[in-house]
Amino acid sequence: MSTIPDSAVRSFLDLSRDAFLDELAEWLRIPSVSADPAHAGDVRRSAGWLAGKLTETGFPTVEVWETPGHPAVFAEWPTEDPQAPTVLVYGHHDVQPAAREDGWHTEPFEPVRRDGRLYGRGAADDKGQVFFHTLGVRAHLAATGRTAPAVHLKLLIEGEEESGSAHFTELIRARADRLSCDAALVSDTGMWSAETPTVCTGMRGLTDCQIDLYGPDQDIHSGSFGGAVPNPATEAARLAAALHHEDRSVAVPGFYDGIVELSPRERALFAELPFDESAWLRTAHSHAALGEEGYSTLERVWARPTAEVNGISGGYQGPGGKTIVPSRAQLKLSFRTVAGQDAEKIQQAVREWTARLLPPGIRHEITFWGATRPCLTPLDHPALQSVLRAMGRAFGEPIRLTREGGSGPAADLQDVLGVPVLFLGISVPSDGWHAPNEKVELDLLMKGAESAAYLWEDLAEHWSAR
Amino acid sequence: MSTIPDSAVRSFLDLSRDAFLDELAEWLRIPSVSADPAHAGDVRRSAGWLAGKLTETGFPTVEVWETPGHPAVFAEWPTEDPQAPTVLVYGHHDVQPAAREDGWHTEPFEPVRRDGRLYGRGAADDKGQVFFHTLGVRAHLAATGRTAPAVHLKLLIEGEEESGSAHFTELIRARADRLSCDAALVSDTGMWSAETPTVCTGMRGLTDCQIDLYGPDQDIHSGSFGGAVPNPATEAARLAAALHHEDRSVAVPGFYDGIVELSPRERALFAELPFDESAWLRTAHSHAALGEEGYSTLERVWARPTAEVNGISGGYQGPGGKTIVPSRAQLKLSFRTVAGQDAEKIQQAVREWTARLLPPGIRHEITFWGATRPCLTPLDHPALQSVLRAMGRAFGEPIRLTREGGSGPAADLQDVLGVPVLFLGISVPSDGWHAPNEKVELDLLMKGAESAAYLWEDLAEHWSAR
């Protein structure tokens, strides 16, 4: 057992709660919308505000790091224990756009505390989940009587996550020395639910592309020429249809090469989650489940690589009919990848597959937008065990495991810094990320701080990365 | 041989040529664009202008027939021979839109005579080909000394062909008594080339539709949900891809039921045409020939039924990528039919095929825009033999046979009036129908008039429809 007493942490949190929430609300008032150039000054103001709070929290080093886009905030608090690991906490201080007329019940940048929740853009994604770390480390120090955390603590809070993290890789490459650590802890994900607290162990990777198909040099009359020349809309459709086998597995040759298959243990853990397909379909706004044969819905979205048609277009799209063979068509495809897959090999496989399937008379161009790698924490990693214990103490029950189907900068931390990535997030699906009326559950926010307070102690006790 | 002397016809035409071309130019100055409501007055003016000229030509009955859209012109000139057949000439007096900035070298509605051609919107499609009949019947009368044509002649010149002939079927149904005839002669098609004069013997039918596919109720995140719910863009692509077998024949079950197959004789006649695939591909603005295996390019476009994707759309279409499972997708499909196919059965087959291919969770709607039937003149029909002889005299060489891949109101004449449809057109592929710089070759225009002059005589001599 950890030497830090639960009661001391909890009473500190209880006493600090109101002031903490007032400060978070102050931060939420800054509309740090990174996608909108008009808010560039607000993103900068948000970085400065956070830097000030981290200094107040006690971090001896706090720096605003410039990028060609919006600034990030870096903070560092060395431990006194030379054997203790170094942990880098990742989050972001920019937010999605929001406007009252999108369906918000109150002004998105005038936070409101109501019914145990704090409403406002960024409440859960990600300001709330960044800010609980300031409270967590203070509780950790207060309860243990330490003057520095049990682990060497670093924070990197970026300002461009909601607009694609355009300069993030560049930033962490350039600052790799300052960011060196034994593990990264991402606080930008969620849990299964308030009743079923979970830890994420991995995210899928992503590589996406556009395929432009060119047939006739202009739209031509389908009566005069149809049936005798290749039609790029038909060929785009044939490509998109050929992406999957009849069993809905991906049909691009080599796509599954080298993948880390789901272990029976992880499949069993997923199967234990209280999954309600009807409820899940409602969150998906969908009317049926459909995917790769032989896998459950959770396995399909969390742990299986996929190919998706994000967009298709070609020919006439106005009202009524127009009897043409169109000149052009376009496909936008994305591929989600899992550990073991190599995005470059997949890109090459897609290029070869496309070239092989298209008939003479159809010229094509493929543009890949880039690649985000998948990340996966081994289930037996000692740092993951620490996260599970720390959250287990805070929540008073066993923590289950999930993954995330999406893709994010976590993979960059893993790849550039060469460390395992852990996840500590307390948001729940109803928090409305990127949607109107985003909120965070106040009790869960405090559980996040409590988990962090235990985590630094547990990591120092159970894991020496040296 | 016909009793009408060639030399008499030709000298009449030579003498009349300049005045005829001046009058045609006057008609081309009226921008009778039926698709543009702003030109409704011009379409009406065009009808009035033509009615006046038909009266001047000598037609004892000339009427402007109102429709709920634009007016048609009807004219009738009874023959003195009670045994002679009645022929109804079909054409249209409305034109496609045209604007100088589309690439016209001169104003589209200020016709210019240059290098043996008359440039202007409607020169070939279809005012020129309607107007040569006024000259043709005058030459016929002048050369034979008749006071009435050798056949009972009727003309129906519609005003809505370029905007879909919305009221044409209704009009000819309502006026079927007045339009009763033994054959319809459509002057709204073209020939293989000036060097290879041809007669068309059939047109394909058409039925086209829109299929709307609905998946998630809104676009959803492809990371969170992709690979586990049906994607309407993927399903639209699977439908479009499933339209054809690998050999590019149409895969909708029952599609070919009952079709009149190409006879070996007609295939041999098509094969005799001086077909240059490279040149044809240039007119198709295409870079390869591709179509149903076992058929030549001409057979594919003239005599084989086809399925074509006219438009496909779904999901994100802007710049870059967007990782969504789209909420909706849409297909626009058209089916060209040949004699023996039943559009209603095909529509039903497409409905059943669509419903069977789509997975649960994808809702769909199919809207068929309507159907135009195919038409086909039997090669041994005596009236077709007359057309071949009349044109053969005018052109001084044997006339070859073609078909048209497109679809048109000819089929309505065939179906509503219950008569065979013949084609007499002198336009050539370079005339630029629906394109900038439309023109007609003046020599061919005169050959059209000459063919008509011989035709009435030949029909009366060789064909008694009674």
Side-chain angles (χ1 to χ4, degrees), chain A residues 139-186:
Chain A
H140 165 68
L141 299 178
T144 56
R146 291 176 183 273
T147 54
V151 297
H152 188 127
L153 203 54
K154 297 182 179 182
L155 262 72
L156 177 63
I157 311 301
E158 77 159 312
E160 298 188 292
E161 200 274 344
E162 298 295 3
S163 52
S165 295
H167 308 99
F168 187 67
T169 314
E170 192 182 312
L171 178 72
I172 62 175
R173 280 208 184 112
R175 304 282 193 159
D177 274 1
R178 302 288 307 280
L179 295 170
S180 75
C181 58
D182 300 300
L185 180 78
V186 169

Side-chain angles (χ1 to χ4, degrees), chain B residues 60-377:
Chain B
T61 301
V62 177
E63 297 170 15
V64 171
W65 283 358
E66 294 300 330
T67 76
H70 303 292
V73 178
F74 173 76
E76 182 170 7
W77 198 336
T79 181
E80 287 157 358
D81 173 4
Q83 300 302 313
T86 301
V87 177
L88 172 68
V89 172
Y90 166 86
H92 60 90
H93 68 91
D94 61 320
V95 298
Q96 280 276 313
R100 179 72 183 262
E101 56 268 27
D102 295 342
W104 286 78
H105 302 317
T106 55
E107 289 296 332
F109 296 105
E110 289 178 13
V112 172
R113 215 192 294 182
R114 196 177 63 236
D115 305 330
R117 296 163 171 172
L118 179 63
Y119 288 88
R121 174 58 86 221
D125 177 20
D126 184 37
K127 285 173 174 168
Q129 303 206 96
V130 166
F131 204 52
F132 78 56
H133 280 287
T134 64
L135 187 56
V137 72
R138 284 167 55 215
H140 165 69
L141 298 178
T144 56
R146 290 177 183 274
T147 53
V151 297
H152 189 128
L153 202 54
K154 297 181 179 183
L155 263 72
L156 178 62
I157 311 301
E158 76 158 313
E160 298 189 293
E161 200 274 344
E162 298 295 4
S163 52
S165 297
H167 308 100
F168 187 67
T169 314
E170 194 180 309
L171 178 71
I172 61 176
R173 279 208 185 114
R175 304 280 192 159
D177 275 1
R178 303 288 306 279
L179 295 170
S180 74
C181 59
D182 300 301
L185 180 78
V186 170
S187 276
D188 186 28
T189 57
M191 304 192 303
W192 179 266
S193 70
E195 297 72 35
T196 306
T198 54
V199 158
C200 173
T201 65
M203 298 182 80
R204 292 195 289 189
L206 171 69
T207 182
D208 56 347
C209 68
Q210 173 173 315
I211 307 180
D212 287 286
L213 307 181
Y214 304 91
D217 294 329
Q218 60 185 54
D219 292 352
I220 56 176
H221 193 287
S222 73
S224 304
F225 304 109
V229 294
N231 174 333
T234 301
E235 298 308 322
R238 289 169 73 101
L239 270 183
L243 267 180
H244 298 92
H245 291 299
E246 274 308 304
D247 69 0
R248 303 277 170 169
S249 62
V250 177
V252 177
F255 183 73
Y256 293 99
D257 285 359
I259 77 164
V260 176
E261 294 285 356
L262 263 169
S263 67
R265 180 172 163 224
E266 199 169 359
R267 296 188 80 168
L269 288 169
F270 287 173
E272 281 174 15
L273 289 165
F275 179 69
D276 173 343
E277 186 162 276
S278 305
W280 181 85
L281 282 174
R282 279 194 297 278
T283 67
H285 302 276
S286 290
H287 303 282
L290 181 72
E292 191 184 3
E293 267 177 34
Y295 294 92
S296 71
T297 290
L298 288 181
E299 289 166 352
R300 287 168 179 167
V301 294
W302 287 348
R304 293 298 297 171
T306 59
E308 202 72 50
V309 180
N310 306 125
I312 186 167
S313 63
Y316 183 63
Q317 318 214 351
K322 189 174 182 189
T323 49
I324 55 166
V325 176
S327 170
R328 304 174 54 159
Q330 188 178 78
L331 274 178
K332 292 186 190 268
L333 306 178
S334 60
F335 300 88
R336 298 280 168 177
T337 57
V338 301
Q341 284 182 303
D342 180 321
E344 282 191 13
K345 280 191 190 162
I346 287 173
Q347 294 177 3
Q348 188 53 33
V350 169
R351 288 179 195 281
E352 286 168 14
W353 169 82
T354 303
R356 201 170 52 248
L357 288 191
L358 292 178
I362 298 286
R363 188 168 65 78
H364 77 282
E365 285 165 10
I366 304 190
T367 309
F368 274 91
W369 309 120
T372 302
R373 289 179 40 127
C375 58
L376 186 62
T377 317

Side-chain angles (χ1 to χ4, degrees), chain A residues 69-380:
Chain A
H70 302 293
V73 177
F74 173 76
E76 183 170 8
W77 198 336
T79 181
E80 286 156 0
D81 173 4
Q83 300 302 314
T86 302
V87 177
L88 172 69
V89 172
Y90 166 86
H92 61 90
H93 67 91
D94 62 320
V95 298
Q96 280 278 312
R100 179 73 181 263
E101 57 268 28
D102 296 341
W104 285 77
H105 301 317
T106 56
E107 289 296 331
F109 296 105
E110 289 177 13
V112 172
R113 216 192 292 180
R114 196 177 63 237
D115 304 330
R117 296 161 172 174
L118 180 62
Y119 288 89
R121 173 58 85 220
D125 176 21
D126 182 37
K127 285 173 173 169
Q129 303 205 96
V130 166
F131 204 52
F132 78 58
H133 280 287
T134 64
L135 186 58
V137 72
R138 285 167 54 214
H140 165 68
L141 299 178
T144 56
R146 291 176 183 273
T147 54
V151 297
H152 188 127
L153 203 54
K154 297 182 179 182
L155 262 72
L156 177 63
I157 311 301
E158 77 159 312
E160 298 188 292
E161 200 274 344
E162 298 295 3
S163 52
S165 295
H167 308 99
F168 187 67
T169 314
E170 192 182 312
L171 178 72
I172 62 175
R173 280 208 184 112
R175 304 282 193 159
D177 274 1
R178 302 288 307 280
L179 295 170
S180 75
C181 58
D182 300 300
L185 180 78
V186 169
S187 277
D188 185 28
T189 57
M191 304 192 302
W192 181 266
S193 70
E195 297 72 35
T196 306
T198 53
V199 158
C200 173
T201 66
M203 297 181 80
R204 291 195 291 189
L206 171 68
T207 183
D208 57 344
C209 69
Q210 173 174 315
I211 307 180
D212 287 287
L213 306 180
Y214 303 92
D217 294 331
Q218 61 184 53
D219 292 350
I220 57 176
H221 193 287
S222 74
S224 304
F225 304 109
V229 295
N231 174 332
T234 300
E235 298 308 321
R238 288 169 73 100
L239 270 182
L243 266 179
H244 299 92
H245 291 299
E246 275 306 306
D247 68 1
R248 302 277 168 169
S249 61
V250 177
V252 176
F255 182 73
Y256 292 99
D257 284 0
I259 77 163
V260 177
E261 294 285 356
L262 263 171
S263 67
R265 181 171 162 224
E266 201 169 357
R267 298 188 80 169
L269 289 169
F270 288 173
E272 280 173 15
L273 289 165
F275 179 70
D276 173 343
E277 186 162 277
S278 305
W280 181 86
L281 282 174
R282 279 194 298 275
T283 69
H285 301 276
S286 290
H287 304 281
L290 182 70
E292 191 184 3
E293 268 178 32
Y295 293 92
S296 71
T297 291
L298 289 181
E299 289 166 352
R300 287 168 179 166
V301 293
W302 286 349
R304 292 298 296 171
T306 58
E308 202 73 49
V309 180
N310 306 126
I312 188 168
S313 63
Y316 182 64
Q317 319 211 350
K322 189 175 181 189
T323 48
I324 55 167
V325 176
S327 170
R328 305 174 56 161
Q330 188 178 76
L331 274 179
K332 292 187 189 268
L333 305 179
S334 61
F335 300 88
R336 299 280 167 179
T337 57
V338 300
Q341 284 183 302
D342 181 321
E344 283 191 11
K345 279 190 190 163
I346 288 173
Q347 293 177 4
Q348 187 56 31
V350 170
R351 288 180 196 282
E352 287 168 13
W353 170 82
T354 302
R356 201 170 54 248
L357 287 192
L358 292 178
I362 297 287
R363 188 168 65 78
H364 77 282
E365 287 165 9
I366 304 190
T367 309
F368 274 92
W369 310 120
T372 302
R373 290 178 39 126
C375 58
L376 187 61
T377 317
L379 296 196
D380 54 2

